[in-house]
Amino acid sequence: MEPWAIGVFASIDAGLGVNLDVAQELGIKTIQLHAPHQSSRTQEKVDAFKARLNELGITPTVVFGGFDGESYADIPTTQKTVGLVPPETRAARVAEMKEIADFANMLGCKCVGLHIGFIPHDTSDPQYGEVVAVAQELCDYSAKMGQNVHLETGQESADGLLQFIGDVGRENLKVNFDPANMILYGTGEPIEAVKKVGKYLGSVHCKDAKWAANPGQEWGQEVPLGEGDVGMEDYLRALKEVGYDGPLTIEREIPQEPERQKSEVGQAVTLLTGLKTKILG
């Protein structure tokens, strides 16, 4: 795969991300895929989906897990409902992530990703140790299939993420870096953060956002690529500096409206293509 192949976030049946027909029309060759519902994770459905991707010339690079009951309505709700941190849903969600890893393996994809949730900042908190243990369990399960596990940034600062990765201590634990999430959650300057966690980068999102008036207490605002506070050229230069040459995956949380997707994602592709030529030559 060429360095910095431009991709999009897509799904089979979850109504998230970019429609595959739009991706094909825009000439996109890689996708990160939101894991489908359990009923779509059968061998028969996988074979049909693989055939469709082959027909479109699209390669899946990461399969992302998401769970029923998660809500990103505001920061406190996200804290209570997202990922593997909430204790009451943890066991069921770890089991589901293993099923998603199996699905990714059937698809021939060697990476699974997820928002693990708001990891406790206090490493002596018993919950912290429990989340480290479930991350180890998921990494060990995925490693048997030769897979990496990518943690999406946002809920932790770069330093908090480094501490956690060190404590999990698994070679196949990597980072899916989303610069906009650092701004949306108010957890740190994205360019500084990407340089800190650079050696763990397994995948990245290209997404943009504006800071909230009270970062960390209220959401920032997601905006079209190039219209926010990330600074896309600085971001790509930082990715080059840390040696990242994998796909640049555009993630844009907009409705499944093909014309709007075509317009906004098309502009993002144009922006990234221009910057890629400027930086890589």
Side-chain angles (χ1 to χ4, degrees), residues 73-92:
D74 51 40
I75 289 177
T77 306
T78 304
Q79 205 155 358
K80 284 194 199 86
T81 65
V82 166
L84 306 183
V85 173
E88 57 284 356
T89 51
R90 190 182 296 147

Side-chain angles (χ1 to χ4, degrees), residues 235-246:
Y235 176 50
L236 264 58
R237 289 192 182 281
L239 291 178
K240 185 181 182 211
E241 189 180 313
V242 300
Y244 177 79
D245 63 359

Side-chain angles (χ1 to χ4, degrees), residues 1-277:
M1 196 181 289
E2 63 171 297
W4 288 1
I6 293 170
V8 293
F9 194 88
S11 74
I12 300 176
D13 59 7
L16 296 161
V18 174
N19 185 295
L20 288 179
D21 293 333
V22 172
Q24 184 200 26
E25 207 170 316
L26 294 172
I28 284 161
K29 298 297 179 197
T30 75
I31 56 167
Q32 287 188 1
L33 182 71
H34 188 279
H37 299 305
Q38 199 169 26
S39 59
S40 296
R41 292 186 219 137
T42 62
Q43 188 67 57
E44 190 184 348
K45 294 270 178 79
V46 169
D47 290 344
F49 187 59
K50 273 167 92 168
R52 172 102 174 101
L53 290 178
N54 287 338
E55 186 190 311
L56 298 174
I58 290 173
T59 303
T61 56
V62 184
V63 175
F64 259 87
F67 310 104
D68 287 342
E70 289 185 314
S71 169
Y72 293 86
D74 51 40
I75 289 177
T77 306
T78 304
Q79 205 155 358
K80 284 194 199 86
T81 65
V82 166
L84 306 183
V85 173
E88 57 284 356
T89 51
R90 190 182 296 147
R93 287 179 176 181
V94 172
E96 185 167 8
M97 268 313 295
K98 289 178 180 176
E99 289 176 16
I100 288 166
D102 292 339
F103 165 80
N105 192 47
M106 286 194 282
L107 198 59
C109 183
K110 292 299 177 190
C111 300
V112 290
L114 76 159
H115 272 291
I116 200 163
F118 277 83
I119 300 161
H121 293 157
D122 178 1
T123 55
S124 64
D125 182 331
Q127 290 283 357
Y128 180 84
E130 289 174 22
V131 179
V132 166
V134 296
Q136 289 171 332
E137 185 183 337
L138 180 58
C139 285
D140 292 345
Y141 186 86
S142 300
K144 289 176 190 162
M145 295 180 280
Q147 292 174 333
N148 286 341
V149 175
H150 294 188
L151 298 183
E152 172 137 10
T153 51
Q155 289 102 345
E156 299 79 39
S157 66
D159 291 334
L161 195 55
L162 289 172
Q163 172 80 47
F164 183 73
I165 291 170
D167 290 340
V168 173
R170 294 294 187 269
E171 289 290 314
N172 63 330
L173 187 61
K174 307 288 182 189
V175 171
N176 180 81
F177 193 88
D178 186 318
N181 282 355
M182 305 300 290
I183 291 172
L184 292 170
Y185 286 88
T187 44
E189 288 285 351
I191 309 303
E192 188 186 314
V194 82
K195 290 178 184 178
K196 279 188 177 179
V197 302
K199 67 175 179 175
Y200 294 109
L201 289 194
S203 53
V204 303
H205 283 166
C206 290
K207 189 166 89 182
D208 215 340
K210 289 182 178 291
W211 290 96
N214 300 295
Q217 292 166 48
E218 56 196 29
W219 284 125
Q221 180 198 357
E222 190 192 333
V223 294
L225 206 68
E227 294 180 19
D229 295 328
V230 171
M232 277 300 138
E233 182 169 344
D234 290 344
Y235 176 50
L236 264 58
R237 289 192 182 281
L239 291 178
K240 185 181 182 211
E241 189 180 313
V242 300
Y244 177 79
D245 63 359
L248 303 176
T249 302
I250 298 160
E251 185 188 27
R252 182 74 177 110
E253 304 284 351
I254 49 177
Q256 291 274 320
E257 297 165 10
E259 290 313 311
R260 183 177 170 193
Q261 285 192 348
K262 221 175 287 181
S263 159
E264 280 203 28
V265 177
Q267 285 168 2
V269 170
T270 303
L271 173 67
L272 291 176
T273 303
L275 289 173
K276 182 175 157 178
T277 304

